[in-house]
Amino acid sequence: MKRLIFIFLFIFAFSAGVTQLILAAGDLAGITVLRRQSVPPFIYMGLVIISGSVILFNSRTPKFNGRRIGRLLSEKGYCPEVYAELLAWQKKCEKHGCGDAAKLVTAEMLIEGAHYEKGFELLRELDIARLPRRQKQVCYNTWLYGAVVLGDRASADEIYRCAEPWLSVVTDKNLISGVKHTLGCYEYMCGRKIHAEELFGQSIDSARSSDVLCENWLALSACYLDSGRNELAKKAVETAMRYCSTTVQQEKISRAKQLVEQAWLAPYTPD
């Protein structure tokens, strides 16, 4: 918001200043028509439109090539071409003054592709305290998810203490499902599996993309296996298959199938 206010103030001040210069130049050149009552406002508004269009065009967020990246993820997984696209887009965003948002997207995809340290490195470059509310929530969510996937309980606990006040109040429909999934993964790591199962269910209810649905059903299959509900675990994996969208998820489903098959062969023993 502050940046937007600054842009508008600059446009109005710049246009007013240039208008006065044009009028002064007209006086020196003896062009009296510029001093007619209707001309200065016309010049001013023209400059506002032109300068505003130029500034807004130059400051717009570069287009994210989601279609190409989605196709690459589906065909090859997190391959070098995906990261080349991401890094090129990130550099363009930094030139347009929206580098923080691009770093968050890139860090998230690096962590999802198991390039944890590179993803964490990008997150460390951000000043979390100065991020807008939604970006702060995305940052904490990404960081917590990465720590949980790595199995780093100490780091996850530390991140959760800072992140909980922000992640517990997420209302953005495009973000809430991913946050619920991350919190479910954290609860599962902590051994609070009933609560984890509830969070995965809530994430499914609010999911807006197939990849999140796939991850949640896979997570639920783990919860079901842990409590000896093998039939539900089998159905959860089958449901996850319907939403599978990347080669990485195909590998996860393959491992989940093996776990279900092993559970059917071995007798259930409660923890």
Side-chain angles (χ1 to χ4, degrees):
M1 179 60 75
K2 290 181 180 178
R3 184 170 179 270
L4 189 62
I5 292 172
F6 174 80
I7 289 174
F8 279 113
L9 288 175
F10 175 83
I11 290 171
F12 295 143
F14 172 81
S15 301
V18 174
T19 298
Q20 292 303 314
L21 287 174
I22 291 174
L23 294 175
D27 291 341
L28 290 173
I31 305 175
T32 58
V33 69
L34 295 179
R35 287 296 179 179
R36 290 181 181 177
Q37 187 175 3
S38 61
V39 174
F42 180 80
I43 294 173
Y44 174 73
M45 289 306 301
L47 288 168
V48 167
I49 293 170
I50 293 171
S51 60
S53 299
V54 171
I55 291 173
L56 291 175
F57 178 81
N58 289 331
S59 63
R60 67 177 181 171
T61 303
K63 185 179 179 180
F64 179 72
N65 197 346
R67 180 174 296 179
R68 171 169 165 74
I69 289 177
R71 186 172 66 252
L72 287 169
L73 288 174
S74 177
E75 296 172 356
K76 301 181 179 180
Y78 288 92
C79 57
E81 292 93 330
V82 168
Y83 296 115
E85 286 279 349
L86 279 171
L87 293 174
W89 173 71
Q90 182 189 324
K91 289 180 180 178
K92 290 179 182 178
C93 288
E94 288 173 352
K95 291 180 181 178
H96 285 74
C98 50
D100 286 350
K103 282 182 180 179
L104 284 170
V105 173
T106 305
E108 187 174 13
M109 297 197 72
L110 283 166
I111 288 171
E112 287 177 354
H115 296 281
Y116 301 107
E117 191 50 45
K118 290 182 179 179
F120 293 146
E121 184 179 328
L122 279 180
L123 294 177
R124 284 192 288 267
E125 291 177 6
L126 298 168
D127 184 352
I128 298 180
R130 298 185 63 180
L131 292 177
R133 176 189 177 90
R134 189 184 187 281
Q135 288 186 7
K136 193 185 268 78
Q137 291 170 332
V138 171
C139 184
Y140 278 131
N141 185 61
T142 304
W143 217 318
L144 180 60
Y145 181 77
V148 171
V149 172
L150 278 175
D152 187 347
R153 175 68 186 273
S155 294
D157 287 343
E158 183 179 351
I159 295 166
Y160 180 78
R161 282 193 291 272
C162 299
E164 194 276 335
W166 296 96
L167 298 185
S168 63
V169 295
V170 172
T171 56
D172 189 316
K173 292 181 179 179
N174 293 315
L175 184 58
I176 191 168
S177 182
V179 169
K180 292 286 187 182
H181 178 77
T182 297
L183 293 175
C185 291
Y186 175 71
E187 291 296 306
Y188 185 90
M189 169 188 258
C190 296
R192 298 185 285 267
K193 296 179 182 179
I194 294 176
H195 191 202
E197 192 173 322
E198 292 173 354
L199 286 165
F200 293 138
Q202 292 171 17
S203 181
I204 288 172
D205 291 340
S206 57
R208 299 165 71 89
S209 62
S210 59
D211 60 327
V212 176
L213 283 167
C214 181
E215 294 293 340
N216 277 305
W217 282 108
L218 285 172
L220 278 177
S221 72
C223 293
Y224 295 148
L225 284 177
D226 288 346
S227 55
R229 291 171 287 174
N230 296 344
E231 185 61 36
L232 286 176
K234 180 175 179 292
K235 290 181 180 179
V237 174
E238 292 171 349
T239 304
M241 291 173 61
R242 297 207 303 266
Y243 297 109
C244 179
S245 57
T246 69
T247 57
V248 173
Q249 288 182 337
Q250 289 172 3
E251 293 171 2
K252 290 181 180 180
I253 288 172
S254 178
R255 290 196 296 270
K257 282 182 177 180
Q258 292 176 5
L259 291 173
V260 170
E261 290 170 0
Q262 291 170 9
W264 279 103
L265 295 174
Y268 169 64
T269 54
D271 294 338

